[in-house]
Amino acid sequence: MNGVSEGLIIGTTVGVVIGVLLAVGILLCMRYRRSQAQIRSSSSRRSSTIPIRANGVNTCAELSTSTTGQESPREFEDRGPSLWIEGPGRKSLISASGIPKYAYKELQKATSNFTKLLGQGAFGPVYKADMSSGEILAVKVLANNSKQGEKEFQNEVLLLGRLHHRNLVNLVGYCAEKGQHILLYAYMPNGSLASHLYGENSAPLRWDLRVNIALDVARGLEYLHDGAVPPVVHRDIKSPNILLDQSMHARVADFGLSREEMLTRNGANIRGTYGYLDPEYVSSRSFTKKSDVYSYGVLLFELIAGRNPQQGLMEYVELAAINADGKTGWEEIADSRLEGAFDVEELNDMAAAAYKCVSRVSRKRPSMRDVVQALIRVAKHSHSSRNHHGRRLPPGRTDDESVDLEASEDQSSASGHQRQESVGSVSELPDV
Ligand SMILES: Nc1ncnc2c1ncn2[C@@H]1O[C@H](COP(=O)(O)OP(=O)(O)OP(=O)(O)O)[C@@H](O)[C@H]1O
């Protein structure tokens, strides 16, 4: 009898424990579901505050899983539907496709009432902002008088919220208050490539840094052309739009913003910057990825020659091309500030790639994917000769690039591209 009552007690206790555990489990499950639903509705409320306007090539609906996008939103999304970020005095919910909205007052304080001017661009002034969280941002206030301000704002907020790459100046927030349209970007402490190439107070850029910058920009553009779906055409690649971060990595800025149209002498409207404009675009008015490739070729020649188009860069290039057969002999246009400290083979390979990019016939220009592969080989050569002659890594730049270069090579061979190992492999680019 004793045995029976003991069994009854044990059975009842086990039953009660299981019941309690089940009840707690169900409760936790319900709370979790409710919090997920709240997050979802809150994030969709936030997304709906972002003005959306699908508008041709400069709009991006979704990103592909392209291997070129090291920081692709797909990766971001895979970590969960949304992330919370917290800073002193504010709490923002970031949805996978959205970006945080900042209060005008907060920006007013961080920019000392919009007095810390970094510079003035075609879209309006850019200020440095010291946020209370300790973050430093660049705040671009879109000019009120800009006819296209609203459209550009809508384009960029929507587009940049979805584009993430380490070679792009990523949008980190926006503000739409008091009739103002403001874009917030990561602050690039080393300024623009133009300021390094042409600034009187800047030390000359070393050759190995120029090679790295060329590859960084090519990767940023490759991501825009081949990683974004639908593809994004930049339309204004030039040295002032290439910014350098704290490690001297280059990042492409100002994409998604459509510049005010310029009037040509014959009265027709074109967009972009003189000297970088694809001649085919000027005659056909049709801007394509290959028009970006042309502007990128001009930028490569800027890196080589230390001159900009306003200083007669392309005339200089055409003169040199007469002697250079397109592949060798480019050293005669090398920037005098380099004082001969460059590898002739690397310079010729970079110039040969640049020359193909600036072909007058767009279909003869390489894709950015091909340019990246050619520049990887130049950069690899540059890295290995630096290692051979003792390490001379730029300040802040680590040797992890060599790992990156390997990874990208693997990707190209995985996708069936057969590449030869010599530096002279730019010959694989289409002939001009
Ligand atoms: N994220 C940033 N970090 C640091 N400085 C920046 C940043 N964005 C812009 N700047 C600086 O602010 C100034 C204005 O930049 P903006 O991009 O508006 O115009 P721009 O590229 O000089 O000219 P344009 O608008 O004609 O292309 C430039 O000196 C630029 O280097």
Side-chain angles (χ1 to χ4, degrees):
M1 196 60 194
N2 247 357
V4 174
S5 64
E6 253 181 49
L8 199 66
I9 290 167
I10 290 169
T12 313
T13 312
V14 170
V16 168
V17 169
I18 290 173
V20 168
L21 284 176
L22 265 175
V24 169
I26 289 168
L27 203 71
L28 284 174
C29 195
M30 282 170 65
R31 288 185 79 175
Y32 174 74
R33 282 182 161 215
R34 204 177 313 141
S35 73
Q36 288 298 303
Q38 267 170 7
I39 288 171
R40 265 196 301 276
S41 79
S42 169
S43 81
S44 71
R45 262 203 311 279
R46 179 167 294 277
S47 325
S48 69
T49 64
I50 300 173
I52 291 174
R53 179 165 167 160
N55 187 26
V57 289
N58 278 350
T59 311
C60 178
E62 196 183 288
L63 283 173
S64 73
T65 50
S66 161
T67 51
T68 56
Q70 291 96 330
E71 294 171 33
S72 79
R74 192 60 60 97
E75 269 177 45
F76 187 55
E77 246 170 336
D78 285 345
R79 281 183 226 133
S82 50
L83 280 178
W84 283 96
I85 56 161
E86 283 181 52
R90 67 185 283 274
K91 204 176 204 184
S92 306
L93 178 70
I94 307 176
S95 70
S97 58
I99 46 167
K101 187 174 179 177
Y102 284 72
Y104 186 80
K105 261 195 160 168
E106 196 181 348
L107 300 182
Q108 211 171 13
K109 192 169 162 226
T111 56
S112 303
N113 204 14
F114 298 98
T115 55
K116 299 183 200 168
L117 189 69
L118 285 171
Q120 176 79 35
F123 300 101
V126 180
Y127 302 94
K128 187 177 177 187
D130 293 286
M131 309 305 288
S132 53
S133 60
E135 252 182 316
I136 305 179
L137 302 178
V139 171
K140 187 176 278 192
V141 182
L142 295 186
N144 272 333
N145 57 4
S146 163
K147 266 191 288 165
Q148 295 185 319
E150 181 76 22
K151 191 170 110 198
E152 281 138 11
F153 188 71
Q154 291 171 352
N155 275 350
E156 188 141 38
V157 169
L158 173 65
L159 191 143
L160 291 183
R162 290 166 181 184
L163 297 179
H164 293 269
H165 190 272
R166 65 179 173 174
N167 297 120
L168 299 181
V169 179
N170 295 319
L171 186 74
V172 295
Y174 76 104
C175 169
E177 248 183 68
K178 301 189 191 299
Q180 297 271 17
H181 289 150
I182 300 174
L183 297 168
L184 278 76
Y185 295 91
Y187 174 69
M188 297 291 122
N190 280 311
S192 72
L193 173 60
S195 69
H196 283 266
L197 287 174
Y198 313 116
E200 282 173 10
N201 300 323
S202 305
L205 267 182
R206 285 205 320 262
W207 175 249
D208 55 308
L209 260 183
R210 296 184 198 216
V211 172
N212 288 338
I213 289 169
L215 179 56
D216 287 341
V217 177
R219 281 177 161 156
L221 260 182
E222 183 197 18
Y223 173 78
L224 290 178
H225 289 181
D226 298 329
V229 180
V232 175
V233 183
H234 187 290
R235 303 184 76 111
D236 203 13
I237 288 292
K238 57 178 180 177
S239 54
N241 277 343
I242 307 304
L243 300 182
L244 300 165
D245 67 16
Q246 70 286 355
S247 308
M248 292 299 279
H249 285 286
R251 291 165 178 254
V252 178
D254 265 9
F255 53 94
L257 286 179
S258 44
R259 231 172 121 79
E260 294 279 338
E261 297 191 352
M262 301 183 286
L263 275 184
T264 59
R265 251 177 274 147
N266 62 13
N269 290 348
I270 49 169
R271 289 207 317 235
T273 302
Y274 283 117
Y276 295 86
L277 280 176
D278 168 12
E280 224 176 69
Y281 163 62
V282 176
S283 54
S284 71
R285 296 293 182 277
S286 150
F287 206 101
T288 64
K289 290 181 193 177
K290 292 291 179 85
S291 310
D292 275 350
V293 173
Y294 181 91
S295 311
Y296 175 78
V298 176
L299 185 93
L300 277 187
F301 276 124
E302 274 190 273
L303 280 165
I304 292 165
R307 280 175 187 245
N308 61 40
Q310 286 70 42
Q311 296 165 328
L313 172 70
M314 294 318 283
E315 290 79 1
Y316 195 52
V317 164
E318 287 309 338
L319 272 178
I322 296 171
N323 305 328
D325 81 358
K327 287 175 186 160
T328 54
W330 288 104
E331 57 275 17
E332 69 177 74
I333 66 163
D335 187 353
S336 58
R337 294 180 87 198
L338 285 166
E339 296 179 335
F342 57 84
D343 181 292
V344 175
E345 211 180 342
E346 288 167 17
L347 186 137
N348 272 308
D349 275 354
M350 202 155 118
Y355 198 56
K356 288 181 175 176
C357 291
V358 298
S359 166
R360 296 192 76 79
V361 182
S362 64
R363 81 188 135 70
K364 290 191 175 175
R365 297 173 204 150
S367 68
M368 285 315 300
R369 185 162 282 180
D370 287 339
V371 174
V372 166
Q373 295 309 320
L375 287 178
I376 282 174
R377 269 175 294 278
V378 179
K380 257 189 156 180
H381 188 269
S382 165
H383 280 265
S384 61
S385 49
R386 258 183 299 142
N387 287 347
H388 193 249
H389 297 112
R391 273 168 205 276
R392 286 190 297 110
L393 289 174
R397 221 160 159 137
T398 59
D399 208 16
D400 60 358
E401 280 96 340
S402 48
V403 178
D404 267 4
L405 298 174
E406 297 290 346
S408 303
E409 280 280 278
D410 289 351
Q411 279 165 16
S412 76
S413 51
S415 59
H417 295 255
Q418 292 300 314
R419 304 278 171 191
Q420 57 183 90
E421 271 303 302
S422 80
V423 189
S425 52
V426 275
S427 58
E428 289 170 23
L429 298 179
D431 269 327
V432 181

